[in-house]
Amino acid sequence: MANRDRSKELFKKAKRVLVGGVNSPVRAFKAVGGTPPFIASGKGSKITDEDGNKYIDYVGSWGPLILGHGDKRVKSALREATQRGTSFGAPTKYEVQIADSVSRALPSVQKLRFVNSGTEATMSALRLARGVTGRKRVLKFEGCYHGHADSFLVGAGSGVATLGIPDSPGVPEEIASLTIQTPFNDLEAASRAFKKWGKELACVIVEPIAGNMGCVLPVPGFLRGLRELCDQYGSLLIFDEVMTGFRVAWGGAQKLFRVKPDLTCLGKVIGGGLPAAAYGGRRDLMNELAPEGPVYQAGTLSGNPLAMAAGLATLEVLKVDGVYDELEDYCRRLCGGLAERANAASIPLVTAFKGGMFGFFFKNEIVRNFTEAKGSDMVRFANFHRQMLGSGIYLAPSAFEAGFVSLAHTKNALEETLKAATEAFRQLR
Ligand SMILES: *Cc1c(COP(=O)(O)O)cnc(C)c1O
């Protein structure tokens, strides 16, 4: 096992002044045990910790770094933007350029508004949906994570699931009770919810590919069925593509599954590693937002020129043909290789991937919802995670997170990863 003394020392200090030593819960490694490496730098597919250990990174800052660490094009765009100034709180050309790019990639997004985080995007989209429909209720799916706004901290996956907090104290019952949740991939259950509350539902919000309970693909007909239910009852369909947008395809999951949402939330990749997110959709809906309409939402640093420049530089690379095939090819080989090696060691493992995101569960049958995800072997995951980290492979420290690859992940990285996995599976038996 590599020496991580400096990281351990830093973590000890961090815990005195930062809650849990971190600024986002999953980073604390509670689900897998041990302490987190403190990262000093990153280049391409690799990150280096404060003790000088190198890791092949499958977290990519939780999704944004689809070009890898320290991409030249992003750095150069940032350099140029920085020279002009870091923030104006006034319109800049970057905002127009990136909005144009996003709208072209996702035709359902006729108009958009930039914000600073995915959480802001989803909570603002919900306010807009409530504002235009005059309805209060929202339907979400168990294990889907839509950021930490009150309305969504009900049956959320990822950090919440990992920590075993079904709801969070501080979320008023009155607000939580407006959120209805049914199992992901269960159209029947959604249909029953609509029968009961359809006329009160402002919207349905869904991760079109779930990425916060591991990676769980939608079953055929699920997303289309939601579209039909929304149309039938006059509710809006919100695709939370904060993770999948520009991650699984140019055009997002909505392009892959050919379902058109009314509103879309974006984040992660569109900020190119800086804090940026957005929500957008039908022009008539977006025009209800201030200053054109009465629904209020604002932000001091929204559309910040540095974030816009990094996002734009990232999108410029992604719009080239074949990019997503390359990412998916890596994921296919990685998942195939993991499954093959687990199988050889008689360890049950199922995998899923799309574009540049992937996931695996220590389980026999394919996972379609949160209950099934929770039925995977967590102890085995924690052990596997520890083994892999020791061999220089940095996986998300929770069984409920998707993994991400970047265009900087090479064939060598893949081979190194699979070699480490062979050894890890051997140790797990
Ligand atoms: C990450 C994520 C969010 C929240 O984004 P933050 O920038 O962390 O606030 C919302 N929805 C989905 C699907 C996400 O993956």
Side-chain angles (χ1 to χ4, degrees):
M1 183 68 89
N3 179 326
R4 286 206 290 273
D5 291 347
R6 278 170 200 247
S7 284
K8 283 182 189 146
E9 189 56 36
L10 277 166
F11 194 49
K12 222 160 95 189
K13 283 189 186 158
K15 282 199 282 193
R16 279 187 226 133
V17 284
L18 291 166
V19 181
V22 293
N23 283 302
S24 197
V26 186
R27 296 182 199 167
F29 270 48
K30 287 217 164 167
V32 292
T35 58
F38 275 56
I39 307 306
S41 65
K43 193 164 192 293
S45 67
K46 296 204 171 142
I47 48 178
T48 305
D49 70 16
E50 291 287 350
D51 291 283
N53 303 303
K54 279 196 189 328
Y55 308 87
I56 299 170
D57 181 16
Y58 288 102
V59 178
S61 189
W62 303 91
L65 296 184
I66 198 163
L67 307 185
H69 293 272
D71 182 83
K72 274 201 203 106
R73 296 154 291 196
V74 174
K75 284 205 288 196
S76 130
L78 274 172
R79 216 172 290 123
E80 202 209 305
T82 308
Q83 258 151 29
R84 293 167 193 261
T86 53
S87 186
F88 308 109
T92 63
K93 66 176 179 186
Y94 295 115
E95 294 161 274
V96 190
Q97 286 168 2
I98 190 167
D100 223 44
S101 246
V102 172
S103 182
R104 231 171 283 197
L106 290 87
S108 77
V109 179
Q110 294 176 314
K111 265 194 178 182
L112 66 159
R113 164 71 53 84
F114 279 98
V115 290
N116 303 295
S117 71
T119 292
E120 247 188 286
T122 52
M123 70 179 216
S124 307
L126 175 61
R127 180 179 305 142
L128 180 60
R130 284 174 166 159
V132 297
T133 59
R135 301 173 178 184
K136 289 182 189 161
R137 292 191 193 273
V138 48
L139 174 64
K140 79 176 279 288
F141 300 97
E142 287 161 18
C144 281
Y145 178 66
H146 304 294
H148 64 79
D150 286 354
S151 298
F152 300 127
L153 276 189
V154 178
S158 176
V160 184
T162 303
L163 296 172
I165 308 169
D167 264 323
S168 168
V171 175
E173 258 169 45
E174 290 85 349
I175 295 197
S177 70
L178 296 175
T179 303
I180 297 149
Q181 52 164 350
T182 58
F184 189 70
N185 270 333
D186 187 344
L187 195 54
E188 290 271 304
S191 188
R192 281 196 296 274
F194 263 95
K195 277 212 182 87
K196 194 153 179 200
W197 289 292
K199 292 280 178 233
E200 297 169 50
L201 278 177
C203 60
V204 173
I205 186 165
V206 64
E207 289 181 72
I209 297 172
N212 288 286
M213 51 172 142
C215 179
V216 180
L217 298 170
V219 298
F222 178 61
L223 298 173
R224 188 163 301 280
L226 295 180
R227 175 71 276 175
E228 283 162 11
L229 283 169
C230 284
D231 289 342
Q232 194 183 331
Y233 287 87
S235 310
L236 299 179
L237 180 61
I238 304 179
F239 272 9
D240 180 355
E241 297 224 43
V242 168
M243 185 183 289
T244 55
F246 298 104
R247 167 53 65 182
V248 297
W250 180 255
Q254 53 195 269
K255 168 100 183 287
L256 292 177
F257 298 108
R258 298 207 192 93
V259 176
K260 205 169 169 178
D262 299 297
L263 294 172
T264 298
C265 300
L266 295 164
K268 300 192 168 123
V269 173
I270 56 158
L274 270 79
Y279 62 109
R282 275 167 43 196
R283 190 183 313 275
D284 61 310
L285 298 175
M286 292 305 288
N287 283 346
E288 294 297 315
L289 266 186
E292 308 242 350
V295 180
Y296 195 71
Q297 184 272 315
T300 301
L301 288 170
S302 295
N304 171 269
L306 303 191
M308 297 295 98
L312 195 58
T314 302
L315 297 193
E316 285 298 310
V317 179
L318 295 176
K319 76 176 174 206
V320 175
D321 274 352
V323 160
Y324 289 94
D325 293 336
E326 196 180 322
L327 290 165
E328 186 159 306
D329 194 53
Y330 190 105
C331 287
R332 182 181 298 110
R333 285 166 201 263
L334 176 63
C335 287
L338 288 175
E340 194 181 300
R341 282 158 181 80
N343 193 29
S346 306
I347 290 170
L349 186 92
V350 287
T351 66
F353 60 89
K354 206 78 192 166
M357 72 189 265
F358 70 92
F360 58 87
F361 290 104
F362 287 103
K363 201 171 189 295
N364 267 317
E365 312 85 29
I366 188 135
V367 169
R368 288 159 305 184
N369 57 45
F370 195 36
T371 305
E372 292 174 2
K374 283 191 290 190
S376 67
D377 191 334
M378 302 292 158
V379 174
R380 196 163 247 173
F381 176 85
N383 289 332
F384 181 69
H385 184 275
R386 192 171 320 117
Q387 287 289 336
M388 292 294 270
L389 193 70
S391 307
I393 311 295
Y394 189 82
L395 298 168
S398 157
F400 296 128
E401 301 288 350
F404 303 107
V405 306
S406 77
L407 288 168
H409 281 69
T410 59
K411 215 169 155 185
N412 276 346
L414 179 65
E415 275 164 21
E416 220 179 296
T417 306
L418 292 177
K419 202 171 130 210
T422 308
E423 183 52 32
F425 289 137
R426 206 193 333 264
Q427 300 281 344
L428 289 188
R429 281 209 304 189

mmCIF file of all heavy atoms in Angstrom, residues 154-195:
data_model
loop_
_atom_site.group_PDB
_atom_site.id
_atom_site.type_symbol
_atom_site.label_atom_id
_atom_site.label_comp_id
_atom_site.label_asym_id
_atom_site.label_seq_id
_atom_site.Cartn_x
_atom_site.Cartn_y
_atom_site.Cartn_z
ATOM 1 N N VAL A 154 -35.542 13.836 -0.902
ATOM 2 C CA VAL A 154 -36.500 12.798 -0.552
ATOM 3 C C VAL A 154 -36.103 11.605 -1.400
ATOM 4 O O VAL A 154 -36.161 11.675 -2.615
ATOM 5 C CB VAL A 154 -37.935 13.251 -0.901
ATOM 6 C CG1 VAL A 154 -38.939 12.163 -0.592
ATOM 7 C CG2 VAL A 154 -38.284 14.536 -0.168
ATOM 8 N N GLY A 155 -35.622 10.553 -0.761
ATOM 9 C CA GLY A 155 -35.228 9.370 -1.535
ATOM 10 C C GLY A 155 -34.161 9.650 -2.566
ATOM 11 O O GLY A 155 -34.168 9.071 -3.647
ATOM 12 N N ALA A 156 -33.236 10.525 -2.243
ATOM 13 C CA ALA A 156 -32.166 10.839 -3.191
ATOM 14 C C ALA A 156 -31.045 9.813 -3.077
ATOM 15 O O ALA A 156 -30.812 9.255 -2.005
ATOM 16 C CB ALA A 156 -31.638 12.237 -2.921
ATOM 17 N N GLY A 157 -30.339 9.566 -4.163
ATOM 18 C CA GLY A 157 -29.289 8.549 -4.153
ATOM 19 C C GLY A 157 -27.975 9.092 -3.630
ATOM 20 O O GLY A 157 -27.943 9.930 -2.730
ATOM 21 N N SER A 158 -26.888 8.611 -4.203
ATOM 22 C CA SER A 158 -25.563 9.172 -4.004
ATOM 23 C C SER A 158 -25.209 9.419 -2.547
ATOM 24 O O SER A 158 -25.345 8.531 -1.722
ATOM 25 C CB SER A 158 -25.516 10.471 -4.818
ATOM 26 O OG SER A 158 -24.362 11.156 -4.669
ATOM 27 N N GLY A 159 -24.730 10.604 -2.219
ATOM 28 C CA GLY A 159 -24.266 10.913 -0.877
ATOM 29 C C GLY A 159 -25.309 10.613 0.182
ATOM 30 O O GLY A 159 -25.006 10.081 1.245
ATOM 31 N N VAL A 160 -26.543 10.941 -0.124
ATOM 32 C CA VAL A 160 -27.617 10.741 0.832
ATOM 33 C C VAL A 160 -27.795 9.248 1.101
ATOM 34 O O VAL A 160 -27.875 8.806 2.235
ATOM 35 C CB VAL A 160 -28.928 11.345 0.301
ATOM 36 C CG1 VAL A 160 -30.016 11.224 1.353
ATOM 37 C CG2 VAL A 160 -28.715 12.801 -0.064
ATOM 38 N N ALA A 161 -27.814 8.474 0.026
ATOM 39 C CA ALA A 161 -27.994 7.033 0.165
ATOM 40 C C ALA A 161 -26.802 6.423 0.891
ATOM 41 O O ALA A 161 -26.949 5.587 1.764
ATOM 42 C CB ALA A 161 -28.149 6.404 -1.202
ATOM 43 N N THR A 162 -25.629 6.890 0.513
ATOM 44 C CA THR A 162 -24.413 6.374 1.102
ATOM 45 C C THR A 162 -24.399 6.576 2.608
ATOM 46 O O THR A 162 -24.006 5.722 3.368
ATOM 47 C CB THR A 162 -23.200 7.079 0.470
ATOM 48 O OG1 THR A 162 -23.267 6.876 -0.925
ATOM 49 C CG2 THR A 162 -21.909 6.531 1.016
ATOM 50 N N LEU A 163 -24.855 7.742 3.016
ATOM 51 C CA LEU A 163 -24.850 8.058 4.429
ATOM 52 C C LEU A 163 -26.082 7.520 5.148
ATOM 53 O O LEU A 163 -26.196 7.640 6.351
ATOM 54 C CB LEU A 163 -24.770 9.578 4.623
ATOM 55 C CG LEU A 163 -23.487 10.222 4.112
ATOM 56 C CD1 LEU A 163 -23.583 11.726 4.175
ATOM 57 C CD2 LEU A 163 -22.298 9.730 4.906
ATOM 58 N N GLY A 164 -27.000 6.943 4.377
ATOM 59 C CA GLY A 164 -28.187 6.364 4.979
ATOM 60 C C GLY A 164 -29.115 7.384 5.601
ATOM 61 O O GLY A 164 -29.711 7.152 6.639
ATOM 62 N N ILE A 165 -29.215 8.550 4.994
ATOM 63 C CA ILE A 165 -30.158 9.559 5.469
ATOM 64 C C ILE A 165 -31.329 9.565 4.483
ATOM 65 O O ILE A 165 -31.185 10.032 3.368
ATOM 66 C CB ILE A 165 -29.534 10.975 5.470
ATOM 67 C CG1 ILE A 165 -28.207 10.956 6.228
ATOM 68 C CG2 ILE A 165 -30.488 11.978 6.066
ATOM 69 C CD1 ILE A 165 -27.393 12.229 6.067
ATOM 70 N N PRO A 166 -32.485 9.009 4.874
ATOM 71 C CA PRO A 166 -33.591 8.932 3.923
ATOM 72 C C PRO A 166 -34.116 10.316 3.572
ATOM 73 O O PRO A 166 -34.496 10.589 2.457
ATOM 74 C CB PRO A 166 -34.649 8.111 4.652
ATOM 75 C CG PRO A 166 -34.284 8.145 6.096
ATOM 76 C CD PRO A 166 -32.830 8.455 6.192
ATOM 77 N N ASP A 167 -34.134 11.167 4.545
ATOM 78 C CA ASP A 167 -34.562 12.549 4.420
ATOM 79 C C ASP A 167 -33.547 13.335 5.200
ATOM 80 O O ASP A 167 -32.792 12.757 5.949
ATOM 81 C CB ASP A 167 -35.893 12.732 5.123
ATOM 82 C CG ASP A 167 -37.053 12.623 4.168
ATOM 83 O OD1 ASP A 167 -36.929 13.089 3.034
ATOM 84 O OD2 ASP A 167 -38.080 12.092 4.583
ATOM 85 N N SER A 168 -33.525 14.639 5.054
ATOM 86 C CA SER A 168 -32.594 15.402 5.860
ATOM 87 C C SER A 168 -33.361 16.200 6.894
ATOM 88 O O SER A 168 -34.378 16.804 6.567
ATOM 89 C CB SER A 168 -31.789 16.351 4.976
ATOM 90 O OG SER A 168 -31.089 17.262 5.776
ATOM 91 N N PRO A 169 -32.890 16.233 8.147
ATOM 92 C CA PRO A 169 -33.473 17.190 9.087
ATOM 93 C C PRO A 169 -33.310 18.573 8.481
ATOM 94 O O PRO A 169 -32.324 18.825 7.777
ATOM 95 C CB PRO A 169 -32.605 17.052 10.336
ATOM 96 C CG PRO A 169 -31.889 15.759 10.190
ATOM 97 C CD PRO A 169 -31.768 15.491 8.733
ATOM 98 N N GLY A 170 -34.252 19.438 8.756
ATOM 99 C CA GLY A 170 -34.170 20.775 8.178
ATOM 100 C C GLY A 170 -35.027 20.931 6.943
ATOM 101 O O GLY A 170 -35.252 22.040 6.481
ATOM 102 N N VAL A 171 -35.476 19.816 6.388
ATOM 103 C CA VAL A 171 -36.424 19.901 5.271
ATOM 104 C C VAL A 171 -37.830 19.848 5.874
ATOM 105 O O VAL A 171 -38.201 18.842 6.465
ATOM 106 C CB VAL A 171 -36.252 18.732 4.275
ATOM 107 C CG1 VAL A 171 -37.325 18.778 3.197
ATOM 108 C CG2 VAL A 171 -34.861 18.766 3.659
ATOM 109 N N PRO A 172 -38.588 20.937 5.765
ATOM 110 C CA PRO A 172 -39.931 20.939 6.370
ATOM 111 C C PRO A 172 -40.820 19.852 5.754
ATOM 112 O O PRO A 172 -40.789 19.645 4.545
ATOM 113 C CB PRO A 172 -40.475 22.332 6.036
ATOM 114 C CG PRO A 172 -39.277 23.155 5.707
ATOM 115 C CD PRO A 172 -38.270 22.215 5.128
ATOM 116 N N GLU A 173 -41.567 19.181 6.600
ATOM 117 C CA GLU A 173 -42.512 18.159 6.141
ATOM 118 C C GLU A 173 -43.442 18.697 5.065
ATOM 119 O O GLU A 173 -43.786 18.001 4.122
ATOM 120 C CB GLU A 173 -43.408 17.775 7.319
ATOM 121 C CG GLU A 173 -43.064 16.472 7.986
ATOM 122 C CD GLU A 173 -43.831 16.352 9.287
ATOM 123 O OE1 GLU A 173 -45.060 16.645 9.295
ATOM 124 O OE2 GLU A 173 -43.188 16.019 10.280
ATOM 125 N N GLU A 174 -43.870 19.938 5.264
ATOM 126 C CA GLU A 174 -44.817 20.537 4.318
ATOM 127 C C GLU A 174 -44.234 20.549 2.913
ATOM 128 O O GLU A 174 -44.940 20.382 1.931
ATOM 129 C CB GLU A 174 -45.155 21.979 4.733
ATOM 130 C CG GLU A 174 -46.003 22.090 5.987
ATOM 131 C CD GLU A 174 -45.170 22.051 7.267
ATOM 132 O OE1 GLU A 174 -43.951 21.729 7.218
ATOM 133 O OE2 GLU A 174 -45.735 22.338 8.339
ATOM 134 N N ILE A 175 -42.925 20.778 2.818
ATOM 135 C CA ILE A 175 -42.288 20.824 1.501
ATOM 136 C C ILE A 175 -42.049 19.411 0.982
ATOM 137 O O ILE A 175 -42.374 19.097 -0.164
ATOM 138 C CB ILE A 175 -40.970 21.620 1.573
ATOM 139 C CG1 ILE A 175 -41.315 23.068 1.918
ATOM 140 C CG2 ILE A 175 -40.198 21.519 0.252
ATOM 141 C CD1 ILE A 175 -40.276 24.077 1.661
ATOM 142 N N ALA A 176 -41.520 18.539 1.860
ATOM 143 C CA ALA A 176 -41.258 17.157 1.438
ATOM 144 C C ALA A 176 -42.541 16.462 0.983
ATOM 145 O O ALA A 176 -42.526 15.647 0.066
ATOM 146 C CB ALA A 176 -40.597 16.388 2.572
ATOM 147 N N SER A 177 -43.651 16.825 1.623
ATOM 148 C CA SER A 177 -44.906 16.134 1.301
ATOM 149 C C SER A 177 -45.411 16.492 -0.099
ATOM 150 O O SER A 177 -46.290 15.834 -0.638
ATOM 151 C CB SER A 177 -45.973 16.456 2.340
ATOM 152 O OG SER A 177 -46.372 17.806 2.202
ATOM 153 N N LEU A 178 -44.867 17.527 -0.690
ATOM 154 C CA LEU A 178 -45.264 17.877 -2.060
ATOM 155 C C LEU A 178 -44.488 17.057 -3.088
ATOM 156 O O LEU A 178 -44.775 17.094 -4.276
ATOM 157 C CB LEU A 178 -45.023 19.374 -2.317
ATOM 158 C CG LEU A 178 -45.861 20.330 -1.464
ATOM 159 C CD1 LEU A 178 -45.437 21.772 -1.711
ATOM 160 C CD2 LEU A 178 -47.349 20.151 -1.780
ATOM 161 N N THR A 179 -43.450 16.354 -2.606
ATOM 162 C CA THR A 179 -42.649 15.524 -3.506
ATOM 163 C C THR A 179 -43.126 14.075 -3.430
ATOM 164 O O THR A 179 -43.139 13.477 -2.358
ATOM 165 C CB THR A 179 -41.166 15.600 -3.119
ATOM 166 O OG1 THR A 179 -40.761 16.977 -3.152
ATOM 167 C CG2 THR A 179 -40.301 14.796 -4.079
ATOM 168 N N ILE A 180 -43.513 13.566 -4.565
ATOM 169 C CA ILE A 180 -43.979 12.179 -4.622
ATOM 170 C C ILE A 180 -42.874 11.378 -5.278
ATOM 171 O O ILE A 180 -42.238 11.849 -6.233
ATOM 172 C CB ILE A 180 -45.250 12.098 -5.484
ATOM 173 C CG1 ILE A 180 -46.361 12.905 -4.820
ATOM 174 C CG2 ILE A 180 -45.667 10.653 -5.730
ATOM 175 C CD1 ILE A 180 -47.307 13.496 -5.810
ATOM 176 N N GLN A 181 -42.611 10.196 -4.765
ATOM 177 C CA GLN A 181 -41.609 9.407 -5.452
ATOM 178 C C GLN A 181 -42.045 7.984 -5.698
ATOM 179 O O GLN A 181 -42.729 7.374 -4.892
ATOM 180 C CB GLN A 181 -40.290 9.459 -4.721
ATOM 181 C CG GLN A 181 -40.400 9.113 -3.268
ATOM 182 C CD GLN A 181 -39.041 8.803 -2.715
ATOM 183 O OE1 GLN A 181 -38.075 8.668 -3.435
ATOM 184 N NE2 GLN A 181 -38.976 8.663 -1.411
ATOM 185 N N THR A 182 -41.646 7.500 -6.854
ATOM 186 C CA THR A 182 -41.950 6.126 -7.243
ATOM 187 C C THR A 182 -40.644 5.505 -7.736
ATOM 188 O O THR A 182 -39.667 6.215 -7.969
ATOM 189 C CB THR A 182 -43.024 6.091 -8.352
ATOM 190 O OG1 THR A 182 -42.550 6.847 -9.467
ATOM 191 C CG2 THR A 182 -44.350 6.657 -7.882
ATOM 192 N N PRO A 183 -40.600 4.178 -7.902
ATOM 193 C CA PRO A 183 -39.350 3.542 -8.335
ATOM 194 C C PRO A 183 -38.964 3.936 -9.769
ATOM 195 O O PRO A 183 -39.838 4.081 -10.627
ATOM 196 C CB PRO A 183 -39.660 2.042 -8.265
ATOM 197 C CG PRO A 183 -40.843 1.929 -7.357
ATOM 198 C CD PRO A 183 -41.639 3.177 -7.558
ATOM 199 N N PHE A 184 -37.693 4.108 -9.973
ATOM 200 C CA PHE A 184 -37.143 4.374 -11.309
ATOM 201 C C PHE A 184 -37.482 3.196 -12.217
ATOM 202 O O PHE A 184 -37.526 2.040 -11.771
ATOM 203 C CB PHE A 184 -35.618 4.527 -11.205
ATOM 204 C CG PHE A 184 -34.940 5.006 -12.470
ATOM 205 C CD1 PHE A 184 -35.121 6.309 -12.926
ATOM 206 C CD2 PHE A 184 -34.099 4.163 -13.183
ATOM 207 C CE1 PHE A 184 -34.472 6.761 -14.085
ATOM 208 C CE2 PHE A 184 -33.452 4.604 -14.339
ATOM 209 C CZ PHE A 184 -33.639 5.908 -14.786
ATOM 210 N N ASN A 185 -37.753 3.469 -13.462
ATOM 211 C CA ASN A 185 -38.012 2.429 -14.468
ATOM 212 C C ASN A 185 -39.337 1.715 -14.290
ATOM 213 O O ASN A 185 -39.575 0.693 -14.933
ATOM 214 C CB ASN A 185 -36.884 1.372 -14.476
ATOM 215 C CG ASN A 185 -35.779 1.754 -15.445
ATOM 216 O OD1 ASN A 185 -36.022 2.461 -16.420
ATOM 217 N ND2 ASN A 185 -34.568 1.287 -15.189
ATOM 218 N N ASP A 186 -40.209 2.207 -13.417
ATOM 219 C CA ASP A 186 -41.505 1.571 -13.193
ATOM 220 C C ASP A 186 -42.617 2.501 -13.691
ATOM 221 O O ASP A 186 -43.106 3.359 -12.962
ATOM 222 C CB ASP A 186 -41.667 1.264 -11.695
ATOM 223 C CG ASP A 186 -42.919 0.451 -11.401
ATOM 224 O OD1 ASP A 186 -43.815 0.385 -12.280
ATOM 225 O OD2 ASP A 186 -43.012 -0.101 -10.297
ATOM 226 N N LEU A 187 -42.994 2.314 -14.951
ATOM 227 C CA LEU A 187 -43.985 3.191 -15.564
ATOM 228 C C LEU A 187 -45.362 3.000 -14.940
ATOM 229 O O LEU A 187 -46.140 3.942 -14.811
ATOM 230 C CB LEU A 187 -44.026 2.931 -17.074
ATOM 231 C CG LEU A 187 -44.742 3.976 -17.923
ATOM 232 C CD1 LEU A 187 -44.211 5.375 -17.705
ATOM 233 C CD2 LEU A 187 -44.677 3.594 -19.394
ATOM 234 N N GLU A 188 -45.656 1.762 -14.546
ATOM 235 C CA GLU A 188 -46.929 1.455 -13.877
ATOM 236 C C GLU A 188 -47.095 2.304 -12.622
ATOM 237 O O GLU A 188 -48.143 2.897 -12.402
ATOM 238 C CB GLU A 188 -46.935 -0.020 -13.444
ATOM 239 C CG GLU A 188 -47.011 -1.005 -14.581
ATOM 240 C CD GLU A 188 -48.453 -1.307 -14.918
ATOM 241 O OE1 GLU A 188 -49.181 -1.722 -14.002
ATOM 242 O OE2 GLU A 188 -48.846 -1.088 -16.079
ATOM 243 N N ALA A 189 -46.038 2.315 -11.820
ATOM 244 C CA ALA A 189 -46.091 3.061 -10.562
ATOM 245 C C ALA A 189 -46.249 4.559 -10.837
ATOM 246 O O ALA A 189 -47.013 5.247 -10.156
ATOM 247 C CB ALA A 189 -44.836 2.802 -9.740
ATOM 248 N N ALA A 190 -45.543 5.049 -11.860
ATOM 249 C CA ALA A 190 -45.658 6.465 -12.213
ATOM 250 C C ALA A 190 -47.085 6.755 -12.665
ATOM 251 O O ALA A 190 -47.674 7.786 -12.321
ATOM 252 C CB ALA A 190 -44.661 6.811 -13.310
ATOM 253 N N SER A 191 -47.641 5.834 -13.415
ATOM 254 C CA SER A 191 -48.987 5.982 -13.941
ATOM 255 C C SER A 191 -50.014 6.039 -12.799
ATOM 256 O O SER A 191 -50.936 6.847 -12.815
ATOM 257 C CB SER A 191 -49.249 4.792 -14.866
ATOM 258 O OG SER A 191 -50.443 4.973 -15.526
ATOM 259 N N ARG A 192 -49.804 5.199 -11.787
ATOM 260 C CA ARG A 192 -50.694 5.227 -10.615
ATOM 261 C C ARG A 192 -50.577 6.565 -9.875
ATOM 262 O O ARG A 192 -51.568 7.133 -9.439
ATOM 263 C CB ARG A 192 -50.347 4.080 -9.661
ATOM 264 C CG ARG A 192 -50.917 2.730 -10.105
ATOM 265 C CD ARG A 192 -50.881 1.721 -8.951
ATOM 266 N NE ARG A 192 -49.522 1.402 -8.512
ATOM 267 C CZ ARG A 192 -48.759 0.457 -9.070
ATOM 268 N NH1 ARG A 192 -49.222 -0.274 -10.074
ATOM 269 N NH2 ARG A 192 -47.529 0.240 -8.643
ATOM 270 N N ALA A 193 -49.329 7.060 -9.775
ATOM 271 C CA ALA A 193 -49.132 8.355 -9.110
ATOM 272 C C ALA A 193 -49.869 9.453 -9.873
ATOM 273 O O ALA A 193 -50.474 10.345 -9.278
ATOM 274 C CB ALA A 193 -47.644 8.679 -9.002
ATOM 275 N N PHE A 194 -49.832 9.373 -11.193
ATOM 276 C CA PHE A 194 -50.537 10.367 -12.009
ATOM 277 C C PHE A 194 -52.050 10.267 -11.815
ATOM 278 O O PHE A 194 -52.746 11.278 -11.773
ATOM 279 C CB PHE A 194 -50.184 10.184 -13.495
ATOM 280 C CG PHE A 194 -49.087 11.103 -13.956
ATOM 281 C CD1 PHE A 194 -47.760 10.684 -13.982
ATOM 282 C CD2 PHE A 194 -49.381 12.399 -14.372
ATOM 283 C CE1 PHE A 194 -46.752 11.538 -14.401
ATOM 284 C CE2 PHE A 194 -48.382 13.258 -14.798
ATOM 285 C CZ PHE A 194 -47.053 12.823 -14.815
ATOM 286 N N LYS A 195 -52.546 9.028 -11.698
ATOM 287 C CA LYS A 195 -54.000 8.855 -11.493
ATOM 288 C C LYS A 195 -54.433 9.565 -10.227
ATOM 289 O O LYS A 195 -55.484 10.181 -10.159
ATOM 290 C CB LYS A 195 -54.336 7.359 -11.396
ATOM 291 C CG LYS A 195 -54.480 6.719 -12.760
ATOM 292 C CD LYS A 195 -55.484 5.580 -12.792
ATOM 293 C CE LYS A 195 -55.513 4.991 -14.192
ATOM 294 N NZ LYS A 195 -54.460 3.945 -14.347
#
